């Protein structure tokens, strides 16, 4: 297919419609996909954010529950009269009394630890060196200075408020180094005038650790906690942060009270969801932005695929639709091409579609009209020809008649009555043959008879100047020919050939026969013609001189008209030697004529 | 013309179909990103040694982060060189993407390691390497530097002339060889310090205890003991404590454990040089993943070391190193 025809095919109605609908569908689907992709992305993102916020809040509640229970313990301990008494008494009446006090306080603390595996210890430290623990088996680590520890100093600084430490190792007990979160509080005497000591409750950090370690936000997201000074309480990758292999945006977290922000780290951007607990910690959920739409690529791909499938379906549908639309137009077009070629015998089937149907119907009417008109033109033409021909045929006779009558008159004047009789009878026969019941076709026999009579008359007129021979074999006599075809040729040969030359002339009429056709040949040895004259001889409507050639052309035309254009006259002529005329027409037996 | 138009349509549909099919393959490739398979062979599968536990924690943390499938194995104990060679052999048969090895023996692991590399498996050594540079990367403490730190800690503890003994866990472990070199480099340069021969205790704390006791009895004038790893240091600490000469004999150890912490708390162990096993585990997996994905990796990765004394032991950052969080 060449580029040109491809272009043309692109210009067709069908391709135009196809292209237009494909473009439309493509655009719609693309816009829809992009919009719904972004909507999904937004939805997923805000959902993830919601989820993280909810989760972080939940964690906050859980931690708060622990902290509150420890706070409650501290309040119970502070308000307890035995604790007050034990701590505020400088001296005891007896060692026994001191022991029983200690026992009571220890039991009180111990009762708080019943079924609380999450609390590693509840302790009271008096400023005068007293120490009571809820777990009686615990002994103080003699190598540790209490006052050097943060929870101890912070409680002193807080002046009666409870203080939550960060996660840390609690080294105060012998042989134990547990990770804990400490709640410490300075204990005051009931009247508030005297500081008695420090209360300490340790929450086993592994409880929290377990609680957080399983929390995953997406595949890589996690949760971490910092205290109010930015120290890490819990972080799943604490080691990596201390060794600077990972970086956490603690400064920004500290600035935010509650809420969300996103770090700007390219594909590793993280979304921080910060929740401020009321005891100073900040719980932070971290999720990776590119994970939020966790299967972002999958979503994008499925939209892409859906779009592609829709486009394919759309193309197929619009192809068939446009084909359905353009098919009748194409059909109509092919019918029109037929008409263009000249075939008016067609009837376009009328399609059901209204517009095209109307077009087809109108087309049918138009073709019908044209056909009618054409037929009319043909019959008109024929009519015209026929009337022209009969007019031409009629032209022969008066001409010749006038000459012959002239001769008869001349002979009668010279008392040549015998000749007059001869000539008149020949003339009578001639006319009889030429009239011949008014039929167009006659047998060659009749035609020979006709030309014989004619030549007889002319011989009488020209005497020795003219000689003739008719040598037509009898085998062709019964074939049919149109009448009066030899006479105009012979007449021509006499007037323009023999009459013009010096001395006597000979006219010879013979016949040739092939399988399908017959040629009658008229030869003369007259003046002949040059090539220029020959060429113009058979042309229609040449400039005629003295009506010359009218009869000959008439014969030529009639042969063509009656039989077919391949028949007619052929001239051969040499100046000063003579002319031969071949009259060709098909073999036409008599019986056929009868049938016709 | 008609056929041509069909061709056009068929062409478009075919192109789209191809696009769909290929994109679905692409999607498959996208979602089914192959996870890297790594086999880690440690010196010992003894889970009571905190050092290895923390290192394994680091491995798992990295595995989670880099979406890697890891299997951790270990020899019976650190002296079980044949056992470890067999483990490496088995691991090769499983055709992982990478093998991370903590070599029990400096020399004897070389042939099997060469096999690993020859099979196209990436080899990373962690903590203790081999005496060959065929490994893609060596992730460890710069033990020579750690040894120097231990030596310097010892120098700070002693005044005047002194005899110092070095207790090494096993022969031919690269980490110990390097540490010893570091210690010797610092202490040899001191004119008034006499370094005794290095004592080997065949991977046993009990032997270390007995050996130190023996040394202290034979050489009552020994003023310093350096234990090149946790068991040797604890064994030495036990001996010193029992003999009640904690004030006189200064002990410097390596690594950390509850026992070591107690020794530091009690003032028997003056300092311990701790490594960062978590980093070792984490970075060895990270490096292996990078090596498998064809990135260029550093030949030597130093995870660093830290001298811990009673004074800085409870500082926030050191706590996490000294008191590793086990059993999460």
């Amino acid at each position: 297919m060449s580029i040109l025809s491809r272009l043309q095919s692109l210009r067709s109605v069908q391709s135009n419609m196809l292209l237009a609908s494909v473009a439309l569908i493509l655009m719609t689907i693309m816009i829809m996909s992009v919009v719904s992709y972004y909507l999904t992305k937004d939805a997923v993102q805000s959902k993830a954010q919601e989820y993280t916020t909810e989760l972080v809040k939940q964690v906050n509640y859980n931690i708060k529950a622990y902290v509150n229970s420890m706070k409650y313990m501290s309040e119970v301990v502070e308000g307890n009269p035995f604790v007050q008494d034990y701590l505020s008494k400088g001296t005891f009446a007896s060692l026994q009394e001191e022991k029983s006090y200690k026992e009571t306080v220890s039991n009180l603390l111990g009762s708080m630890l019943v079924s609380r595996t999450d609390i590693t210890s509840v302790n009271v430290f008096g400023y005068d060196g007293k120490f009571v623990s809820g777990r009686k088996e615990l002994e103080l680590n003699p190598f540790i200075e209490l006052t050097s520890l943060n929870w101890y100093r912070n409680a002193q600084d807080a002046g009666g408020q409870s203080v939550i430490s960060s996660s840390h190792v609690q080294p105060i007990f012998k042989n134990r180094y547990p990770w804990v979160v400490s709640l410490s509080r300075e204990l005051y005497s009931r009247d508030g005038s005297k500081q008695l000591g420090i209360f300490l409750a340790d929450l086993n950090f592994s409880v929290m650790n377990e609680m957080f370690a399983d929390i995953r936000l997406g595949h890589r997201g996690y949760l971490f906690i910092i205290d109010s000074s930015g120290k890490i309480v819990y972080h799943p990758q604490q080691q990596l942060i201390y060794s600077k292999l990972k970086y956490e945006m603690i400064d920004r977290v500290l600035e935010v009270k509650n809420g969300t922000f996103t770090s700007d780290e390219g594909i590793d951007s993280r979304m921080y969801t910060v929740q401020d607990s009321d005891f100073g910690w900040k719980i932070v959920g971290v999720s990776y932005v590119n994970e939020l739409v966790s299967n972002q690529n999958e979503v994008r791909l499925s939209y892409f695929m859906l779009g592609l499938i829709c486009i394919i379906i759309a193309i197929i549908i619009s192809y068939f639709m446009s084909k359905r639309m353009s098919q009748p137009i194409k059909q109509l077009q092919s019918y029109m091409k037929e008409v263009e070629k000249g075939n008016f015998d067609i009837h376009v089937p009328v399609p059901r579609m209204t517009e095209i149907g109307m077009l087809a119907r109108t087309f049918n009417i138009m073709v019908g009209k044209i056909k009618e008109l054409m037929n009319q033109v043909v019959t008109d033409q024929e009519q015209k020809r026929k009337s022209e021909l009969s007019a031409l045929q009629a032209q022969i006779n008066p001409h010749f008649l006038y000459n012959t009558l002239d001769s008869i008159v001349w002979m009668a004047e010279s008392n040549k009555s015998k000749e007059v009789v001869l000539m008149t009878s020949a003339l009578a026969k001639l006319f009889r043959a030429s009239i011949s019941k008014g039929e167009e076709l006659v047998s060659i026999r009749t035609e020979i008879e006709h030309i014989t009579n004619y030549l007889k008359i002319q011989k009488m007129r020209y005497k020795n100047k003219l000689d003739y021979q008719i040598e037509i074999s009898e085998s062709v006599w019964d074939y049919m020919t149109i009448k009066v075809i030899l006479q105009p040729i012979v007449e021509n040969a006499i007037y323009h050939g023999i009459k013009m030359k010096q001395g006597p002339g000979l006219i010879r009429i013979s016949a040739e026969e092939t399988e399908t056709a017959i040629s009658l040949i008229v030869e003369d040895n007259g003046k002949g013609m040059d090539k220029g004259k020959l060429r113009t001889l058979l042309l229609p409507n040449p400039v005629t001189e003295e009506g010359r050639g009218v009869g000959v052309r008439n014969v030529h035309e009639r042969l063509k008209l009656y039989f077919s254009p391949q028949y007619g006259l052929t001239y051969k002529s040499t100046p000063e030697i003579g002319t031969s005329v071949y009259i060709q027409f098909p073999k036409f037996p008599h019986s056929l004529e009868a049938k016709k | 013309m008609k056929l041509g138009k069909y061709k056009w349509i068929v062409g478009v549909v075919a192109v789209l179909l191809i696009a769909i099919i290929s994109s679905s393959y692409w999607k498959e490739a996208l979602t089914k990103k192959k996870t890297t398979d790594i086999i880690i062979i440690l010196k010992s599968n003894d889970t009571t040694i905190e050092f290895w536990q923390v290192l394994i924690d680091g491995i798992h943390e990295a595995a989670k982060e880099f979406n890697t499938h890891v299997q951790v194995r270990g020899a019976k104990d650190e002296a079980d060189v044949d056992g470890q060679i067999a483990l490496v052999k088995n691991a090769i048969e499983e055709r992982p993407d990478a093998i991370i090895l903590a070599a029990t023996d400096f020399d004897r692991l070389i042939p099997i390691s060469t096999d690993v590399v020859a099979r196209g498996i990436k080899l990373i050594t962690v903590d203790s390497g081999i005496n060959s540079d065929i490994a893609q990367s060596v992730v460890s403490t710069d033990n020579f530097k750690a040894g120097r730190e231990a030596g310097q800690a010892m120098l700070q503890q002693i005044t005047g002339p002194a005899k110092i003994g070095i207790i090494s866990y096993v022969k031919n472990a690269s980490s110990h060889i390097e540490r010893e070199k570091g210690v010797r480099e610092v202490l040899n340069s001191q004119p008034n310090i006499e370094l005794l021969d290095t004592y080997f205790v065949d991977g046993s704390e009990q032997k270390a205890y007995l050996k130190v006791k023996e040394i202290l009895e034979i050489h009552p004038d020994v003023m310093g003991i350096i234990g090149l790893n946790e068991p040797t240091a604890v064994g030495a600490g036990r001996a010193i404590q029992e003999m009640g000469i904690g004030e006189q004999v200064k002990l410097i150890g390596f690594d950390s454990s509850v026992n070591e912490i107690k020794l530091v708390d009690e003032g028997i162990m003056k300092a311990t040089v701790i490594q960062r096993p978590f980093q070792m585990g984490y970075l060895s997996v990270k490096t292996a993943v990078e090596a498998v994905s064809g990135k260029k990796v550093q030949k030597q990765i130093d995870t660093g070391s830290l001298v811990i004394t009673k004074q800085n032991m409870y500082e926030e950052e050191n706590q996490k190193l000294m008191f590793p969080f086990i059993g999460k």
Side-chain angles (χ1 to χ4, degrees):
Chain A
M1 200 197 250
S2 76
I3 291 171
L4 193 74
S5 60
R6 193 182 287 266
L7 275 178
Q8 264 163 359
S9 86
L10 283 182
R11 249 181 252 141
S12 76
V13 174
Q14 183 177 350
S15 342
N16 270 331
M17 272 163 48
L18 190 63
L19 279 180
S21 49
V22 166
L24 197 73
I25 291 159
L26 205 70
M27 235 162 63
T28 320
I29 287 169
M30 258 162 57
I31 291 170
M32 293 265 286
S33 313
V34 169
V35 167
S36 47
Y37 168 66
Y38 279 105
L39 283 181
T40 317
K41 193 180 163 185
D42 280 355
V44 170
Q45 210 153 0
S46 66
K47 195 104 209 189
Q49 195 169 322
E50 241 170 65
Y51 168 74
T52 311
T53 311
E54 201 48 52
L55 192 93
V56 167
K57 260 188 194 154
Q58 202 55 51
V59 169
N60 187 22
Y61 286 136
N62 290 346
I63 297 172
K64 232 195 239 169
Y66 284 115
V67 170
N68 284 343
S69 75
M70 289 197 291
K71 230 183 219 170
Y72 174 71
M73 285 175 193
S74 76
E75 271 151 23
V76 169
V77 169
E78 188 173 36
N80 188 284
F82 285 103
V83 177
Q84 287 276 338
D85 283 354
Y86 175 65
L87 289 181
S88 50
K89 267 194 183 166
T91 52
F92 294 92
S94 67
L95 214 66
Q96 197 61 42
E97 193 196 1
E98 188 182 354
K99 216 173 177 184
S100 86
Y101 260 113
K102 195 169 174 176
E103 190 72 21
T104 318
V105 173
S106 178
N107 284 342
L108 167 76
L109 298 177
S111 68
M112 293 173 173
L113 292 174
V114 174
S115 73
R116 286 297 296 268
T117 49
D118 52 326
I119 306 288
T120 54
S121 68
V122 183
N123 317 283
V124 172
F125 301 92
Y127 281 147
D128 51 2
K130 294 188 186 99
F131 161 65
V132 190
S133 175
R135 295 198 193 278
K136 293 193 180 77
E137 71 275 17
L138 294 179
E139 280 178 61
L140 281 180
N141 183 344
F143 303 101
I144 293 293
E145 194 60 54
L146 283 178
T147 50
S148 71
L149 299 173
N150 283 335
W151 57 263
Y152 193 92
R153 287 197 305 235
N154 290 344
Q156 283 180 317
D157 293 344
Q161 293 295 312
S162 45
V163 177
I164 299 287
S165 76
S166 178
S167 57
H168 67 106
V169 170
Q170 185 61 280
I172 58 170
F173 301 111
K174 234 180 187 171
N175 295 343
R176 281 166 200 262
Y177 299 94
W179 277 88
V180 296
V181 170
S182 302
L183 180 136
S184 54
R185 177 178 185 164
E186 192 167 36
L187 299 173
Y188 279 68
S189 60
R190 221 162 305 164
D191 54 10
S193 62
K194 213 175 141 209
Q195 293 122 332
L196 301 174
I198 303 283
F199 168 84
L200 169 72
D202 279 345
L203 175 70
N204 189 351
F205 185 62
S206 66
V207 171
M208 281 197 185
N209 202 52
E210 270 161 32
M211 186 160 85
F212 306 144
D214 289 338
I215 294 175
R216 286 270 155 180
L217 298 165
H219 184 66
R220 291 161 66 203
Y222 52 88
L223 192 106
F224 74 94
I225 300 172
I226 56 172
D227 68 8
S228 53
S229 61
K231 277 186 189 162
I232 291 171
V233 175
Y234 167 81
H235 195 295
Q237 299 173 324
Q238 203 165 0
Q239 296 248 21
L240 299 179
I241 288 170
Y242 285 149
S243 51
K244 308 274 188 296
L245 288 172
K246 290 263 155 150
Y247 173 71
E248 207 61 81
M249 310 194 86
I250 287 168
D251 294 343
R252 271 184 83 177
V253 171
L254 284 175
E255 281 167 28
V256 178
K257 193 167 160 53
N258 281 316
T260 300
F261 67 89
T262 304
S263 71
D264 189 21
E265 294 166 286
I267 52 160
D268 276 334
S269 290
R270 288 176 280 186
M271 187 181 81
Y272 286 77
T273 306
V274 184
Q275 174 75 37
D276 194 46
S277 70
D278 50 11
F279 47 87
W281 286 4
K282 280 191 153 79
I283 296 132
V284 187
V286 181
S287 20
Y288 284 83
V289 171
N290 67 341
E291 255 184 28
L292 285 185
V293 182
S294 57
N295 37 12
Q296 202 162 350
N297 279 319
E298 236 163 87
V299 172
R300 198 180 322 191
L301 257 177
S302 47
Y303 274 121
F304 176 70
M305 305 263 265
L306 260 170
L308 267 184
I309 290 166
C310 285
I311 288 166
I312 288 176
I313 292 170
I315 286 177
I316 291 168
I317 289 175
S318 54
Y319 169 70
F320 283 110
M321 252 178 56
S322 61
K323 199 179 154 163
R324 214 175 97 86
M325 300 269 274
S326 66
Q327 195 61 28
I329 299 180
K330 271 194 191 157
Q331 199 184 22
L332 198 59
Q333 189 192 15
S334 74
Y335 280 111
M336 282 179 173
K337 279 230 170 88
E338 277 295 301
V339 173
E340 216 171 89
K341 279 183 207 155
N343 179 8
F344 291 93
D345 294 324
I346 51 166
H347 181 84
V348 183
V350 177
R352 245 179 281 167
M353 228 174 299
T354 340
E355 290 88 347
I356 311 287
M358 257 160 64
L359 202 60
R361 214 171 293 126
T362 318
F363 179 74
N364 280 341
I365 293 169
M366 186 189 77
V367 171
K369 275 260 166 71
I370 291 176
K371 195 174 156 191
E372 219 169 84
L373 286 171
M374 291 278 281
N375 285 341
Q376 205 177 332
V377 167
V378 169
T379 37
D380 283 1
Q381 265 320 295
E382 235 164 64
Q383 213 60 47
K384 205 174 151 197
R385 284 268 176 100
K386 271 185 185 158
S387 52
E388 242 172 44
L389 278 178
S390 40
L392 284 171
Q393 214 173 324
Q395 271 176 10
I396 315 167
N397 302 330
H399 207 74
F400 168 71
L401 192 59
Y402 160 76
N403 284 335
T404 311
L405 287 177
D406 228 18
S407 302
I408 294 171
V409 169
W410 178 77
M411 279 191 281
E413 269 175 7
S414 350
N415 287 323
K416 293 180 180 168
S417 58
K418 202 179 165 189
E419 273 106 341
V420 170
V421 171
L422 212 64
M423 197 169 208
T424 315
S425 82
L427 187 65
K429 278 178 189 160
L430 178 76
F431 274 102
R432 194 178 306 124
S434 81
I435 292 161
S436 67
K437 301 166 215 155
E439 279 165 5
E440 186 73 9
L441 282 182
V442 295
S443 64
I444 290 176
R445 188 197 312 271
T446 319
E447 189 64 12
I448 292 169
E449 199 179 314
H450 181 252
I451 200 65
T452 311
N453 285 317
Y454 176 77
L455 280 169
K456 264 185 199 160
I457 296 166
Q458 294 292 37
K459 173 76 183 164
M460 277 197 267
R461 283 178 60 196
Y462 290 97
K463 299 276 178 11
N464 293 334
K465 176 88 176 150
L466 174 70
D467 246 330
Y468 67 90
Q469 296 169 358
I470 295 173
E471 296 165 352
I472 295 176
S473 65
E474 280 189 40
S475 63
V476 301
W477 283 16
D478 284 330
Y479 286 108
M480 306 297 282
T481 176
I482 34 177
K483 63 181 181 185
V484 201
I485 50 170
L486 284 171
Q487 184 263 330
I489 314 292
V490 172
E491 186 180 38
N492 226 28
I494 295 167
Y495 291 134
H496 301 292
I498 293 168
K499 213 172 143 187
M500 295 298 180
K501 93 171 240 200
Q502 301 278 317
L506 175 69
I507 287 178
R508 195 169 162 274
I509 299 172
S510 58
E512 275 176 13
E513 182 185 4
T514 69
E515 198 76 355
T516 55
I518 294 168
S519 293
L520 298 176
I521 304 154
V522 180
E523 293 162 293
D524 67 67
N525 55 357
K527 201 180 167 218
M529 282 174 281
D530 58 32
K531 277 182 182 157
K533 210 174 254 173
L534 257 182
R535 217 179 300 124
T536 58
L537 200 63
L538 294 173
L539 290 180
N541 304 321
V543 191
T544 46
E545 27 178 300
E546 312 152 19
R548 178 192 160 177
V550 172
V552 175
R553 209 172 308 116
N554 183 16
V555 171
H556 188 61
E557 294 274 301
R558 275 162 63 212
L559 282 169
K560 281 186 184 303
L561 200 67
Y562 202 92
F563 296 111
S564 91
Q566 74 197 74
Y567 300 106
L569 301 184
T570 316
Y571 270 79
K572 279 182 189 164
S573 182
T574 320
E576 308 305 332
I577 302 251
T579 305
S580 317
V581 182
Y582 294 78
I583 308 163
Q584 286 165 303
F585 51 89
K587 268 186 175 170
F588 211 86
H590 194 266
S591 52
L592 265 178
E593 161 63 10
K595 267 182 200 163
K596 201 177 176 183
Chain B
M1 196 76 167
K2 197 146 192 171
L3 187 77
K5 198 157 280 177
Y6 273 121
K7 261 187 203 157
W8 184 69
I9 292 293
V10 166
V12 168
V13 170
V15 165
L16 288 175
L17 278 176
I18 287 166
I20 284 189
I21 290 161
S22 58
S23 64
S24 66
Y25 273 110
W26 171 50
K27 181 185 159 186
E28 208 128 283
L30 207 85
T31 48
K32 282 191 187 154
K33 199 164 66 184
K34 192 182 163 292
T35 53
T36 313
D37 255 316
I38 300 178
I39 295 181
I40 294 128
I41 296 163
L42 301 179
K43 278 189 189 173
S44 156
N45 58 6
D46 182 358
T47 49
T48 60
I49 299 179
E50 284 173 4
F51 180 86
W52 296 116
Q53 276 184 291
V54 176
L55 192 141
I56 291 167
D57 276 352
I59 285 169
H60 287 308
E61 187 63 41
K64 227 181 284 175
E65 182 170 340
F66 301 112
N67 193 25
T68 308
H69 179 246
V70 294
Q71 298 174 62
V72 181
R73 296 163 192 182
K76 222 167 48 243
D77 57 57
E78 296 198 17
D80 181 16
V81 181
D82 293 324
Q84 195 180 39
I85 292 172
L87 281 174
V88 177
K89 209 168 201 166
N90 287 341
I92 292 174
E93 295 311 314
E94 292 174 41
R95 315 216 96 251
D97 295 305
I99 290 179
I100 296 174
L101 176 69
T104 46
D105 194 287
F106 195 50
D107 292 318
R108 289 175 58 199
L109 265 295
I110 294 176
I112 193 77
S113 300
T114 315
D115 264 11
V116 171
V117 175
R119 290 290 200 95
I121 300 168
K122 307 286 180 204
L123 177 69
I124 311 286
T125 59
V126 66
D127 178 55
S128 301
I130 48 173
N131 191 16
S132 160
D133 67 346
I134 53 171
Q136 294 272 321
S137 184
V138 177
V139 181
S140 69
T141 309
D142 184 339
N143 280 304
F144 180 73
K145 211 175 97 198
R148 285 176 50 110
E149 279 172 346
Q152 254 136 19
M154 181 60 89
L155 270 186
Q156 282 177 3
Q157 293 296 326
I158 49 178
T159 45
K163 268 187 185 168
I164 288 169
I166 300 172
I167 317 295
S168 182
Y169 199 44
V170 283
K171 278 183 185 171
N172 261 352
S174 71
S175 52
H176 294 191
I177 295 169
E178 290 295 310
R179 283 175 202 170
E180 190 195 328
K181 271 193 209 157
V183 170
R184 285 187 182 274
E185 197 211 55
V186 172
L187 297 183
N188 270 342
S189 60
Q190 301 297 320
N192 52 356
I193 286 176
E194 185 194 337
L195 271 173
L196 301 175
D197 285 343
T198 302
Y199 300 94
F200 295 98
V201 295
D202 300 333
S204 153
E205 186 195 310
Q206 182 63 21
K207 272 194 184 166
Y209 160 73
L210 295 171
K211 192 65 163 180
V212 170
K213 236 177 157 175
E214 187 190 319
I215 294 166
L216 290 174
E217 273 157 11
I218 296 170
H219 307 278
D221 52 346
V222 163
M223 277 191 66
I225 297 284
I226 296 178
L228 288 182
N229 72 346
E230 195 261 345
T232 51
V234 171
R238 215 145 47 86
I240 294 166
Q241 198 171 27
E242 239 180 62
M243 294 170 81
I245 46 174
E247 288 304 306
Q248 187 217 323
V249 181
K250 321 287 184 189
L251 173 64
I252 307 288
F254 276 85
D255 300 339
S256 82
S257 68
V258 173
N259 287 332
E260 277 188 295
I261 288 161
K262 273 199 287 193
L263 289 172
V264 175
D265 257 350
E266 288 161 9
I268 287 167
M269 193 187 284
K270 301 304 178 211
T272 179
V273 179
I274 60 169
Q275 312 181 62
R276 298 174 188 270
F278 189 91
Q279 265 88 320
M280 282 187 205
Y282 179 87
L283 287 176
S284 62
V285 172
K286 189 182 178 195
T287 310
V289 168
E290 281 171 0
V292 168
S293 69
K295 276 186 210 155
K296 204 171 155 52
V297 294
Q298 245 177 293
K299 195 83 190 165
Q300 284 277 350
I301 295 173
D302 177 19
T303 49
S305 55
L306 203 66
V307 179
I308 296 286
T309 62
K310 194 172 177 174
Q311 282 69 48
N312 67 10
M313 169 153 93
Y314 291 107
E315 281 169 17
E316 192 200 349
E317 296 188 13
N318 297 339
Q319 277 187 11
K320 197 81 190 183
L321 293 170
M322 276 301 277
F323 305 90
F325 216 74
I326 314 276
K328 54 167 161 177

